[in-house]
Amino acid sequence: MLSAFFHSFLSERIKLRRSLLGWLILCGGSFVPAIMLAVRIRRQQQLPNWHRLGVFWEKHWIESWESISIMILPLMVVLLTTLILQVEYRNNTWKQVHASPQTWGTIFSAKLAVVLLALLQLFVVINLGLYLAGALPSLLVGAGGGISSSPIPWIRMLARDANYFVECLPIVAIQFLLALRFRNFLVPIGIGVAGWILSLVLINTSYNFLIPYNYTGIDYLISTGHRSGQNLPTTLGTLACGTFAVLTLVSYALYSRQADKG
Amino acid sequence: MSEWAIETCGLSHRFTPTDAVLQDIQLQVPTGSLYGFLGPNGAGKTTTLRLVLGLLRCQEGSIRVLGEPLESRRVALLRRIGSSIESPSLYAHLSSVENLTVWQKVFGCPARRVGEALHQVGLHDTGGKVAGQFSLGMKQRLALAVALLHQPELLILDEPTNGLDPHGILEMRDLLIRLNRDHGTTILVSSHLLSEVERLVTHVGIISRGTLRFQGPLASLAERNQADRQLTLHTSDNPRALEILLTSGWSARPEQGRLFVQGVSSIQAGALNQQLVMSGLTVFELTPVGQNLEHQFFDLIGD
Ligand SMILES: Nc1ncnc2c1ncn2[C@@H]1O[C@H](COP(=O)(O)OP(=O)(O)OP(=O)(O)O)[C@@H](O)[C@H]1O
Ligand SMILES: [Mg+2]
């Protein structure tokens, strides 16, 4: 069973070669770091002061994650998931996939794993990008006396990353369900963007957890002290995991019971 | 080994509650045969094949493939089946090798099969082109290579010659005959035209408007309705010939400078000829019509 999953996973990865996925991850992941880099270079006279701060890296990270958590992550998950699942509808290949010797569970889990791997790759690009956005300005313009020597809070950053990753999962589950179901990719993208906008509208209300498109943003606001998080029935991580588990089960039930498989 | 590679029993299907697309189909594809599944557009060929592959949930009736029930043994059976349904299922952004590698991973067959399958279908030289840039014929070949990749015991090909040039059709026919003869692969091909598969298949099933109209060896199709043959005649004196025929009880009528006689078996045609010659007429032409398979085919698919 595990080997069936592994083979299916490899086959899914081949399907994404030469696709837009790599570029999407690269561009989406480096978008905010690139802006940060440009801002730092433009305000280079402030670099020495900045670098002297003992908490340079921490501040850099916190500033950058604001738009990443509220905008980039939700939208990127919507795009990544849709793009990955769209490959079968676009090429009319569901029928070939479903006529291959794989259980519905294998096909479903291999596709889900590919989406999660893409999300992980996005996190890697974002983190590398942020490091470069912090390190490069002084090297490029020669001001600020080299890379800031303030400590990089690795452990805390990785823990934050892990939180954000988990908080993306509900979006993965919803988009996965939609993208499996609808041949027209505008449906999952449209619903995804609408869900994200709705979550932005609600983000400063006590109902913000009801639309699970912005748990990352809520987490950011809580961790930076902008919101208390007292409205939440439980922790965001638990909410995210629960929503993900339930929606994934629903999604699998719908998928495996589909009468017409291409 | 079971007698039938595919056997359906009372297979019916409806997409909407009101119209039945398939009614009581008893498909019996003999193991080791080359089976032509024929019918006009919308007859239900693709729907039947999708049911046999488990792509559509079976609503009514039962399906056995390679001697085993499809429903409970789906995954194990699909390992032994190669298929291509409707339009070629290819990843347009991948090369032919990459397309095959996708399936090579799933089937877990040796990597050398990729090259072999491409060679078998005559597609070993596509350079850097991706499948989206292929011609329709090349796509059909690649789809066939996908179906052949894991050396299946049963091949199910839905209109595999669609889009192939005459040379391609010949090559495809030779390849399928070779697979059938050398590897004992049971092959089902669907087509609109009997003439396209006439020289390929050993058995035929003819479907029209969702019902199976005929099924059996190709030879038995030709023998069908022996008594109901027609022929056209051209003699040195057609009016007189008509008189002779009518007085001896034939149903004959003049048509476009010829005589058209109905209900003549091949033995009777000989007697008829003799009678005319004995009456002093010269018979220039005596052509059986409706004796070819195509006529049988159109006869069967009509109502
Ligand atoms: N998904 C579907 N929903 C509704 N009706 C369908 C669907 N697929 C097929 N049909 C109907 O079922 C009938 C049989 O279609 P099918 O595709 O099996 O025909 P076919 O014999 O393969 O024809 P062709 O030679 O044109 O490929 C048609 O009337 C078609 O409209
Ligand atoms: Mg068809």
Side-chain angles (χ1 to χ4, degrees), chain A residues 76 116 121 135 189 261:
Chain A
M76 280 298 288
L116 294 178
Q121 289 172 325
I189 293 203
K261 287 209 162 67

Side-chain angles (χ1 to χ4, degrees), chain A residues 15 88 95 257 260-261, chain B residues 50 55 57 85 91 93:
Chain A
K15 290 177 195 172
E88 311 291 1
K95 54 185 193 284
R257 273 156 217 209
D260 185 338
K261 287 209 162 67
Chain B
R50 287 171 69 206
L55 293 174
R57 180 168 319 132
I85 296 295
Y91 297 99
H93 59 290

Side-chain angles (χ1 to χ4, degrees), chain A residues 7 11 14-15 17-18 87-88 91-93 95-102 104 257 259-262, chain B residues 50 55-57 74-75 78-79 83 85 87 89-94 98 101-103 105-107 146:
Chain A
H7 284 126
S11 135
I14 296 169
K15 290 177 195 172
R17 274 190 207 167
R18 302 173 200 238
V87 79
E88 311 291 1
N91 294 300
N92 238 325
T93 39
K95 54 185 193 284
Q96 204 72 26
V97 172
H98 289 143
S100 68
Q102 307 185 76
W104 312 134
R257 273 156 217 209
D260 185 338
K261 287 209 162 67
Chain B
R50 287 171 69 206
L55 293 174
L56 277 179
R57 180 168 319 132
R74 192 185 67 88
V75 174
L78 287 175
R79 194 163 281 290
S83 66
I85 296 295
S87 54
S89 312
L90 305 170
Y91 297 99
H93 59 290
L94 299 181
E98 287 166 334
T101 310
V102 165
W103 304 111
K105 297 289 181 216
V106 169
F107 283 96
V146 170

Side-chain angles (χ1 to χ4, degrees), chain B residues 41-42 44-47 86 158-159 190 192:
Chain B
N41 287 129
K45 303 181 294 294
T46 303
T47 306
E86 228 153 28
D158 193 11
E159 295 181 35
S190 79
H192 302 122

